[in-house]
Amino acid sequence: MSTRLPDIHEWWPRLSIDGKHVLRDGGGDIPDEVREEISRIAGEDVPEGATLSADDRDFIRTQSEQVD
């Protein structure tokens, strides 16, 4: 069972550029430093093992122009 992240629309706009690049270029795993940043932004615990959903990955692809 995968652990869900908070709603991506809440934290993605405020995620650091480095964090955005890591998630855009990664395979779905969320490194601890990015998970902790998402937790701070969202104001809720993001447990180890949390993953991006298919919808999250689709959203990130649509936002990639804004990262570059």
Side-chain angles (χ1 to χ4, degrees), residues 3 21-22 30 32-33 43 45 59 68:
T3 304
H21 280 287
V22 167
I30 303 172
D32 289 343
E33 62 273 7
D45 183 49
F59 178 81
D68 297 331

Side-chain angles (χ1 to χ4, degrees), residues 36-52:
E36 291 167 5
E37 184 179 358
I38 293 168
S39 181
R40 282 192 305 274
I41 292 167
E44 59 185 272
D45 183 49
V46 178
E48 189 174 338
T51 59
L52 295 168

Side-chain angles (χ1 to χ4, degrees), residues 5-59:
L5 289 170
D7 184 349
I8 195 168
H9 297 92
E10 293 178 28
W11 54 265
W12 180 263
R14 297 187 290 163
L15 191 66
S16 67
I17 295 298
D18 288 342
K20 288 179 179 180
H21 280 287
V22 167
L23 293 182
R24 184 188 67 190
D25 299 338
D29 292 330
I30 303 172
D32 289 343
E33 62 273 7
V34 177
R35 188 174 47 79
E36 291 167 5
E37 184 179 358
I38 293 168
S39 181
R40 282 192 305 274
I41 292 167
E44 59 185 272
D45 183 49
V46 178
E48 189 174 338
T51 59
L52 295 168
S53 68
D55 287 342
D56 291 342
R57 289 189 299 275
D58 288 343
F59 178 81

